[in-house]
Amino acid sequence: MATPIIDMRGIDKAFGAVQALKDVSLQLMPGEIIGLVGDNSAGKSTLMKVLTGAYQRDAGDVLVDGRETHFKSPQDSRRLGLEMIYQDFALCGNMDIGQNIFLGRWPRRLGLFVNREKMYADASGVLKRLKVDVNSVYQKVESLSGGRQQSVAIARAISFDPRVVILDEPTANLSVMATERLLETMAELKRQGVAQIIISHRLTDIFEVGDRIMVLKRGRNVGDRYIRHTTEKEVLELIVSGTPETALTADEALQRAA
């Protein structure tokens, strides 16, 4: 059996008296897309911030490629190929697309001057890899639609050549057309072997591109199912009821289908 690229085991995280995560486990296989769902207090973003090192876990283990890790910051997780794209995109609107993709690590010439020719050529290359069309890499980000800004944020993450991309509510504020383009981008990343975790309230999007779906309720695992063996109705029931007994694990779903 293949080794999970990400293996989170028994994660606990509290903020004072508030227990945000309790004994949460998550596995992600290479090239897999997992939808992470639950209500607003479920602990989805907290779990991902623990994974990337933005938060420190109180208990549990995080393994990458089977090796235990202790990320102290997102920079540590980035070095092992993990990238998280937040809902606000964290882009600089007054800068152009190329500058945003390589923000803070612009290629240099002679160690002193920004190599603009290389920067814009590399930016075009990343967008081409994602099959994203833009008018120009010199276009200011603030002039782009929400969908195009999302694409630039993904391009910046991909420029680090990650093996895992985490997207926080990626389609929340997008039009129908922009959502379709973004889902196509996710599918393209999957074809290129990039594993993804999608935090989302839009089950339709997850069911379109995902392989598996995991449900959190009040900081606990209450369901883990392969998408081909469940329905949106069943997942909604888990989100609302949070009853673990009604959920099949991914392995159980496979056994039942056999």
Side-chain angles (χ1 to χ4, degrees):
M1 184 177 177
T3 300
I5 189 170
I6 300 296
D7 192 357
M8 306 182 77
R9 304 175 179 174
I11 302 298
D12 287 0
K13 178 63 181 177
F15 298 97
V18 177
Q19 189 72 43
L21 298 170
K22 182 63 177 177
D23 194 28
V24 176
S25 297
L26 178 148
Q27 286 189 336
L28 177 69
M29 304 304 292
E32 184 180 35
I33 298 180
I34 288 181
L36 186 58
V37 302
D39 58 30
N40 289 331
S41 59
K44 306 181 297 296
S45 294
T46 299
L47 182 65
M48 292 299 96
K49 288 178 180 178
V50 167
L51 172 59
T52 58
Y55 291 159
Q56 301 303 302
R57 60 189 183 270
D58 299 329
D61 301 304
V62 177
L63 287 75
V64 177
D65 295 325
R67 297 182 179 181
E68 188 169 352
T69 62
H70 292 278
F71 299 139
K72 295 181 180 179
S73 72
Q75 286 69 37
D76 290 341
S77 63
R78 175 173 286 163
R79 282 191 281 270
L80 287 186
L82 280 65
E83 284 289 332
M84 185 164 179
I85 301 171
Y86 294 95
Q87 191 171 356
D88 64 359
F89 307 155
L91 298 173
C92 294
N94 62 332
M95 293 184 177
D96 62 39
I97 292 173
Q99 291 170 325
N100 268 277
I101 290 176
F102 292 100
L103 185 63
R105 54 197 174 92
W106 296 333
R108 299 283 177 176
R109 182 185 293 116
L110 303 177
L112 297 174
F113 307 102
V114 176
N115 188 338
R116 294 183 178 276
E117 182 178 353
K118 177 174 173 53
M119 179 176 71
Y120 290 114
D122 289 350
S124 295
V126 174
L127 293 169
K128 184 176 180 180
R129 174 185 170 186
L130 293 175
K131 298 183 178 179
V132 173
D133 293 323
V134 295
N135 293 330
S136 168
V137 290
Y138 300 97
Q139 188 174 357
K140 289 287 197 301
V141 163
E142 62 190 5
S143 70
L144 300 175
S145 67
R148 291 302 187 198
Q149 289 189 25
Q150 177 71 275
S151 295
V152 172
I154 294 175
R156 183 176 59 192
I158 292 303
S159 70
F160 286 95
D161 199 24
R163 295 180 299 151
V164 177
V165 173
I166 302 158
L167 300 105
D168 189 0
E169 297 290 353
T171 62
N173 300 309
L174 301 186
S175 67
V176 173
M177 184 174 295
T179 295
E180 290 177 357
R181 284 198 298 262
L182 179 58
L183 295 178
E184 289 171 0
T185 298
M186 293 177 186
E188 180 61 30
L189 288 176
K190 178 180 173 62
R191 284 190 288 270
Q192 297 178 17
V194 179
Q196 297 161 74
I197 301 175
I198 306 170
I199 303 171
S200 181
H201 287 90
R202 294 173 63 161
L203 295 182
T204 301
D205 297 341
I206 293 174
F207 270 73
E208 181 169 339
V209 297
D211 299 299
R212 191 154 52 88
I213 193 161
M214 193 176 103
V215 184
L216 292 182
K217 181 77 172 180
R218 298 192 184 94
R220 295 177 181 268
N221 290 103
V222 295
D224 188 346
R225 298 191 181 188
Y226 283 105
I227 285 175
R228 64 181 178 271
H229 295 309
T230 189
T231 64
E232 290 187 37
K233 181 177 182 293
E234 289 174 332
V235 173
L236 280 170
E237 288 173 353
L238 278 172
I239 292 172
V240 174
S241 68
T243 306
E245 290 78 9
T246 66
L248 294 178
T249 66
D251 288 339
E252 288 169 343
L254 276 181
Q255 291 171 4
R256 178 170 291 190

